Amino acid sequence: RRGAGWVACRGYRCWAGGAAGCPAAMEKETIRVYARVKPLGRRQQAGIYSVDDDEKSLSSLEIVVPRDLADGFVNNKRESYKFKFQKIFDQEAKQDVVFDSIAKPVAECVLAGYNGTIFAYGQTGSGKTFTITGGAEHYNDRGIIPRTLSYIFDQLQKDSSKVYTTHVSYLEIYNECGYDLLDPRHEASRLEDLPKVTIMEDPDQNIHLKNLSLQQATNEEEALNLLFFGDTNRMIAETPMNQASTRSHCIFTIHISSKEPGSAIIRRSKLHLVDLAGSERVAKTGVGGHLLTEAKYINLSLHYLEQVIIALAEKNRSHIPYRNSMMTSVLRDSLGGNCMTTMIATLSIDKRNIDESISTCRFAQRVALIKNEAVLNEEIDPRLMIVQLKKEIQELKDELALVTGKQRTSELSQEELHQLDELIETFLKDNDPESTLDVDADMRKIKYCFIHMKQLMNHSKNSDQKLLSSHISEEKDTNKEAGEEELEKMKKLLQQRDNEINILVNMLKLEKKKAQDALFQLNAASAGSTVLEPSLSVNLEENRSPSRCFSLKEAKDFSSSVHRLPSLPRKTGGKMSLGCQEAFEIFKRDHADSLTMEDNKQLLKQRFAEAKCLGEKLNEVRNKINYLKREITQRQIQRAALAVSNPSEELNMLDPVEEKLRTQIEEEKKSYKTMFNRLKGLKVEIEHLQLLMEKIKMKLQKDFEVWWSEEAINLQQEKPEMVSSPNTTTGYAQFIKSSQHLSTNSFSETTRVSPNEDPVGKNNPITSSNTTSQTRTPSSSSIPLTGDSQADADILAFLKARQSILQKKGKSCQ
Ligand code: ADP
Ligand code: MG
């Protein structure tokens, strides 16, 4: 409100009917309400309404209800209704006159820094859009918006005393949703394509519109372009089903900010030019379904507008229901706050619209009761404020220097600092409790002393801490030495154990190799081609190699695998424990699929042999073809040489030898092709077989895993003490024993599937005898034991397990 008194609001003079100056800015002013009657043309009916312009300040409009209508109307006793307006613009009134009387005064006030609103209210077709925006055909039909823009920019240009910036925004509210009509990024084909605008309220209850773009317009042309752009968006978005123009509210806002050069005060004001939705009632719309819903909506938001207007018109109403609709929220300031507001009631007074016209006038009468309080919207520019404050500081400094006789800078001089240091030192050393630290009445010195003291305090604190931590680190050093010694000892011990384990593992490997040999010989029939050797076997091969030294890690893997029975590496690339591998071999041998595997292996072997043979033959044919080609070339050279020395016609004739060679080549080529195709077919078959084998192998492994974990569980249930015992290898040996039982079962199953097969080489005397000889194992007493009870027990348990497997094998072979 600052400076309200000195701002000359030119518009306000017109507004206040020629009253001098603008003193009323802080007084409450009622909303000005005007009426405009639309030309009726040929539909003109005499005597329906009359305008009385006689009264000095206010005009009155009398609507006379024709007798034939009066019966069915609200109160059939009355025939005429009188309404008062600031001014009534009858049918002949031109746009420029309307602008001059209604909009120009408001524009003046907006230029002076007050907020202004002009809104048009009336039923659809009564001339709201014509009044606010204008008619599309004639230049003279320009409405309030273009005329106001023109006027404002004209004034801004004339006024060089201030710096102005102008922005515009264009909001459409349809079904309680706000849309930004000026968003340049969106080409709207529907209203929904436009950015949605939402309302935000700050703690001071000021309304902010999120997503509504403010477009800068530096001149009239730019502003008109924006208006045109928004109107186009509005028009495009409209469809017959969605007659947005009659069902939506549009608010075109001009934002002006101004500042006098050098002043820190900025004035901001805005002018809302509002084209409301049609005010007709739902009953009148008389359409069902979708349109009815929309109509209700419009009426609902206008109904809320009415409620707000009623609440505002009532004295002592504390709560005004602005929040009920988006439109009342947006127009909050315009209706009951800091704004100079004007309403235009548009009327289309023919016989059919009598009731609507009366209700529009009634609404206007209520609006006319509302008092608003417009204040100057001034704020301070922080940048300029800083400049001003700096200036003020300098002035104060100068004044201080004048009083103290000393020119003070913000910094103390080196000499002054030194003096202060000495003073502080003396003060601190002085044991007299009464002693004081006396510096001048100079804030800079006092501050320095405090800072210095603080630093001293912190310093002494830090040195205390350092002392403490150095004590601690000394202690640590002693501990460290002791720890290192201990570590060295442990390392040595570990090395020793590693060596022991290595020896043991190598021993186990030797045993393992023997056992494996026996197993493989038993499986003599399944000694597949090296090419197709399953990678698992390769893995075993690796482990069996006596030259390869077992690493410490592998040894550990072995011992740990004993503890985690159910886990088996799924991929053949992974490592199995030796025991696990052994069990797997047995399982594999007895599995039904091993027969299929065997068949496939054999087939593959055959195919490989065939392929090899074919490949060799192909090479032979190729060589032969090459040889024949060379023959032909040679023959041709000879004939050419002959032709040079002895030219005769004979030479031009075909050479029968060459012809024979060519036929031979063709034949060879044919057989090459046939063989090549056969080889191609074989390749496909081999690849397919290999895939099949891989699949079976995977299945086998999976089955084994399941069986393995089931066994582990069974074992746990049967002999829980074994599992809980720290010597788990005993449990393992037991487990291997029980696995024999299972593999015998699965063996009998296998025989049922394929009785002709001899899966364990029962009828192979060589294998049998070999196995028998292999069953002899070194007695546990012949193994050099380590002396470590745990390791010894592990080895013994393993050997027992192995022995029982071999015994079982021996039995099955007999
Ligand atoms: P509303 O926006 O209230 O639905 P419009 O402004 O679209 O109504 O007016 C409906 C029709 O009447 C338009 O064709 C418009 O040009 C015409 N019209 C309205 N008021 C006037 C007027 N004062 N002079 C001439 N034509 C008018
Ligand atoms: Mg309209």
Side-chain angles (χ1 to χ4, degrees):
R1 296 180 187 198
R2 187 176 158 173
W6 49 263
V7 174
C9 176
R10 288 162 287 172
Y12 205 79
R13 253 181 236 130
C14 314
W15 181 285
C22 199
M26 283 164 73
E27 274 176 26
K28 287 204 169 193
E29 269 293 316
T30 51
I31 292 179
R32 316 254 137 175
V33 179
Y34 296 86
R36 186 179 196 185
V37 183
K38 185 188 135 174
L40 291 167
R42 270 186 274 134
R43 285 185 290 127
Q44 193 79 34
Q45 292 135 337
I48 284 191
Y49 75 94
S50 65
V51 176
D52 183 6
D53 253 340
D54 284 350
E55 289 174 53
K56 273 184 190 163
S57 55
L58 296 174
S59 310
S60 76
L61 175 79
E62 188 179 14
I63 298 176
V64 184
V65 182
R67 287 202 185 279
D68 55 335
L69 276 183
D71 286 334
F73 201 60
V74 193
N75 183 350
N76 56 16
K77 282 178 194 158
R78 289 183 60 183
E79 283 175 359
S80 84
Y81 297 81
K82 251 189 176 174
F83 303 100
K84 293 214 180 295
F85 290 94
Q86 193 74 35
K87 193 171 163 66
I88 296 158
F89 298 92
D90 211 349
Q91 300 185 35
E92 313 77 44
K94 294 283 166 249
Q95 294 282 57
D96 55 343
V97 178
V98 171
F99 169 76
D100 282 345
S101 326
I102 299 177
K104 206 164 151 187
V106 184
E108 295 260 355
C109 285
V110 172
L111 282 169
Y114 296 86
N115 291 338
T117 297
I118 300 171
F119 68 92
Y121 181 99
Q123 69 180 110
T124 298
S126 60
K128 295 183 297 295
T129 307
F130 185 84
T131 305
I132 296 292
T133 311
E137 275 138 50
H138 307 287
Y139 183 69
N140 283 342
D141 286 346
R142 283 175 305 144
I144 286 174
I145 299 177
R147 285 172 193 273
T148 307
L149 286 171
S150 173
Y151 179 76
I152 283 175
F153 282 107
D154 213 30
Q155 296 301 311
L156 295 188
Q157 231 173 11
K158 279 184 203 161
D159 184 4
S160 56
S161 69
K162 288 191 195 111
V163 183
Y164 289 95
T165 35
T166 325
H167 290 84
V168 299
S169 63
Y170 206 171
L171 170 72
E172 176 159 5
I173 302 171
Y174 181 70
N175 277 358
E176 279 305 294
C177 273
Y179 301 95
D180 181 8
L181 289 172
L182 294 188
D183 185 85
R185 293 163 302 175
H186 293 78
E187 261 185 43
S189 58
R190 295 173 311 150
L191 207 56
E192 291 77 16
D193 296 340
L194 294 167
K196 274 216 168 84
V197 178
T198 46
I199 288 181
M200 313 260 280
E201 201 177 312
D202 68 17
D204 296 333
Q205 296 196 321
N206 294 314
I207 297 293
H208 301 271
L209 294 168
K210 200 179 149 201
N211 269 348
L212 182 67
S213 60
L214 278 191
Q215 308 286 343
Q216 186 161 15
T218 46
N219 53 42
E220 187 187 344
E221 196 192 345
E222 279 177 24
L224 283 176
N225 279 341
L226 287 165
L227 170 67
F228 179 77
F229 181 77
D231 275 338
T232 314
N233 266 341
R234 190 180 166 188
M235 206 172 62
I236 291 168
E238 194 175 330
T239 62
M241 275 305 284
N242 146 36
Q243 288 180 325
S245 70
T246 70
R247 298 166 209 287
S248 67
H249 315 286
C250 280
I251 305 174
F252 185 87
T253 310
I254 306 166
H255 307 253
I256 299 172
S257 70
S258 66
K259 204 184 68 162
E260 277 174 50
S263 162
I265 297 162
I266 302 171
R267 276 192 206 147
R268 293 183 201 282
S269 55
K270 45 191 177 182
L271 171 58
H272 294 305
L273 299 167
V274 187
D275 185 355
L276 289 175
S279 64
E280 55 275 8
R281 313 281 125 166
V282 183
K284 184 96 189 263
T285 317
V287 220
H290 184 59
L291 288 176
L292 183 67
T293 323
E294 284 180 344
K296 255 195 222 152
Y297 244 112
I298 301 156
N299 281 288
L300 204 64
S301 74
L302 283 178
H303 169 73
Y304 287 132
L305 175 67
E306 210 164 326
Q307 278 191 344
V308 166
I309 301 286
I310 291 167
L312 284 168
E314 270 177 33
K315 271 178 196 161
N316 310 322
R317 260 293 279 268
S318 55
H319 174 70
I320 311 295
Y322 292 112
R323 285 208 189 97
N324 281 349
S325 81
M326 185 170 192
M327 207 246 311
T328 47
S329 299
V330 174
L331 294 183
R332 183 185 185 135
D333 256 2
S334 316
L335 296 170
N338 168 22
C339 194
M340 286 171 176
T341 305
T342 299
M343 171 185 160
I344 309 166
T346 54
L347 304 159
S348 170
I349 318 180
D350 64 10
K351 218 169 156 184
R352 288 176 301 142
N353 293 327
I354 291 259
D355 48 354
E356 286 297 347
S357 301
I358 289 170
S359 87
T360 299
C361 290
R362 277 190 180 143
F363 179 80
Q365 301 304 289
R366 249 182 273 150
V367 171
L369 297 175
I370 299 170
K371 280 187 177 162
N372 269 357
E373 184 182 20
V375 290
L376 267 179
N377 302 300
E378 289 180 341
E379 53 190 66
I380 293 170
D381 185 343
R383 282 170 306 167
L384 281 165
M385 200 65 196
I386 290 166
V387 174
Q388 274 185 1
L389 286 173
K390 273 185 180 165
K391 206 174 139 200
E392 205 172 313
I393 287 168
Q394 192 51 51
E395 279 170 7
L396 286 168
K397 272 182 182 170
D398 291 347
E399 213 169 303
L400 196 65
L402 207 72
V403 173
T404 57
K406 280 181 200 164
Q407 190 73 37
R408 273 181 194 172
T409 52
S410 58
E411 302 283 326
L412 287 164
S413 70
Q414 279 302 317
E415 198 187 335
E416 282 171 320
L417 288 174
H418 189 68
Q419 273 174 3
L420 279 173
D421 286 349
E422 275 178 358
L423 266 173
I424 294 165
E425 208 176 323
T426 329
F427 172 69
L428 288 174
K429 275 181 185 162
D430 195 346
N431 286 329
D432 182 4
E434 302 275 295
S435 73
T436 52
L437 177 60
D438 202 5
V439 289
D440 303 335
D442 185 338
M443 261 334 269
R444 298 169 305 162
K445 286 184 182 174
I446 295 167
K447 269 186 195 161
Y448 178 81
C449 284
F450 274 117
I451 291 166
H452 195 93
M453 297 288 241
K454 192 181 174 181
Q455 277 170 351
L456 280 175
M457 288 267 293
N458 285 345
H459 182 73
S460 71
K461 236 192 262 169
N462 282 348
S463 50
D464 279 357
Q465 264 176 357
K466 263 184 203 158
L467 212 67
L468 200 73
S469 60
S470 71
H471 277 305
I472 292 169
S473 66
E474 265 171 41
E475 255 172 58
K476 265 189 194 163
D477 283 348
T478 344
N479 285 348
K480 207 174 151 192
E481 271 169 36
E484 269 168 10
E485 249 174 61
E486 189 71 17
L487 190 75
E488 208 51 47
K489 251 194 214 167
M490 300 285 255
K491 269 186 186 167
K492 271 184 193 159
L493 203 68
L494 197 72
Q495 188 63 45
Q496 233 169 347
R497 286 276 175 273
D498 278 354
N499 290 341
E500 278 171 19
I501 289 168
N502 275 344
I503 296 164
L504 282 170
V505 166
N506 278 333
M507 258 165 52
L508 279 174
K509 258 164 50 191
L510 266 169
E511 285 305 310
K512 168 80 192 158
K513 182 187 176 324
K514 284 176 193 163
Q516 283 295 330
D517 285 348
L519 238 168
F520 272 77
Q521 274 154 355
L522 265 173
N523 281 334
S526 61
S529 78
T530 44
V531 189
L532 301 164
E533 187 102 52
S535 40
L536 186 87
S537 313
V538 173
N539 221 15
L540 285 175
E541 202 72 49
E542 250 176 41
N543 288 348
R544 271 188 286 151
S545 156
S547 62
R548 191 172 155 269
C549 214
F550 230 82
S551 71
L552 180 63
K553 188 184 170 295
E554 281 165 320
K556 277 179 186 158
D557 279 352
F558 162 63
S559 61
S560 65
S561 75
V562 173
H563 295 271
R564 45 176 170 78
L565 286 178
S567 69
L568 173 79
R570 169 67 49 88
K571 296 275 171 211
T572 44
K575 283 209 166 62
M576 288 186 202
S577 71
L578 293 170
C580 194
Q581 278 169 14
E582 212 163 319
F584 180 64
E585 282 310 319
I586 297 166
F587 181 87
K588 194 169 82 172
R589 190 196 61 205
D590 294 348
H591 197 277
D593 283 342
S594 70
L595 301 174
T596 328
M597 192 113 148
E598 226 22 74
D599 282 350
N600 284 339
K601 239 187 206 172
Q602 292 304 330
L603 198 64
L604 249 176
K605 232 169 135 182
Q606 262 179 34
R607 292 288 176 266
F608 260 111
E610 212 175 314
K612 201 180 158 195
C613 187
L614 259 174
E616 278 163 10
K617 271 188 194 161
L618 269 172
N619 266 342
E620 270 172 36
V621 175
R622 208 186 9 238
N623 289 340
K624 206 167 176 187
I625 291 171
N626 284 340
Y627 168 78
L628 288 169
K629 275 183 183 168
R630 275 201 301 276
E631 285 281 289
I632 291 173
T633 325
Q634 210 126 41
R635 182 99 196 129
Q636 281 170 343
I637 293 167
Q638 278 171 9
R639 274 165 60 86
L642 213 70
V644 175
S645 58
N646 184 20
S648 72
E649 274 191 23
E650 254 181 63
L651 287 171
N652 286 334
M653 284 164 62
L654 285 171
D655 175 16
V657 184
E658 195 185 319
E659 275 309 293
K660 206 180 153 198
L661 285 171
R662 282 192 188 284
T663 340
Q664 254 179 317
I665 284 181
E666 283 314 306
E667 268 165 23
E668 292 299 337
K669 270 187 180 170
K670 241 185 241 164
S671 79
Y672 183 89
K673 225 174 183 174
T674 327
M675 275 194 283
F676 183 78
N677 284 338
R678 170 80 188 119
L679 191 66
K680 240 164 79 180
L682 268 178
K683 202 180 154 230
V684 173
E685 202 180 339
I686 285 168
E687 269 166 13
H688 185 85
L689 277 170
Q690 276 174 331
L691 276 175
L692 262 179
M693 300 264 296
E694 198 57 41
K695 232 157 111 187
I696 295 170
K697 221 160 62 194
M698 294 283 281
K699 187 173 166 266
L700 228 129
Q701 248 180 295
K702 238 168 90 182
D703 289 353
F704 176 71
E705 259 182 67
V706 174
W707 172 76
W708 180 261
S709 50
E710 273 171 5
E711 280 307 302
I713 292 161
N714 287 344
L715 191 71
Q716 208 164 357
Q717 281 163 353
E718 276 168 29
K719 306 248 165 164
E721 76 281 356
M722 286 199 172
V723 181
S724 61
S725 133
N727 190 356
T728 31
T729 33
T730 325
Y732 177 65
Q734 189 66 30
F735 161 65
I736 294 290
K737 262 184 206 154
S738 75
S739 81
Q740 291 161 17
H741 166 72
L742 192 125
S743 37
T744 326
N745 283 350
S746 60
F747 164 65
S748 58
E749 241 183 63
T750 323
T751 38
R752 234 183 294 129
V753 174
S754 181
N756 300 330
E757 286 294 325
D758 176 23
V760 281
K762 216 196 290 190
N763 303 325
N764 187 338
I766 304 160
T767 328
S768 298
S769 66
N770 267 358
T771 316
T772 327
S773 65
Q774 284 292 326
T775 40
R776 271 190 292 111
T777 49
S779 74
S780 53
S781 60
S782 66
I783 299 172
L785 296 178
T786 58
D788 181 318
S789 59
Q790 175 75 47
D792 289 349
D794 283 359
I795 295 162
L796 289 175
F798 175 79
L799 291 175
K800 262 189 205 161
R802 194 190 61 87
Q803 198 167 6
S804 59
I805 288 172
L806 293 176
Q807 272 167 3
K808 182 243 150 199
K809 243 178 250 164
K811 265 184 223 153
S812 62
C813 292
Q814 279 151 22

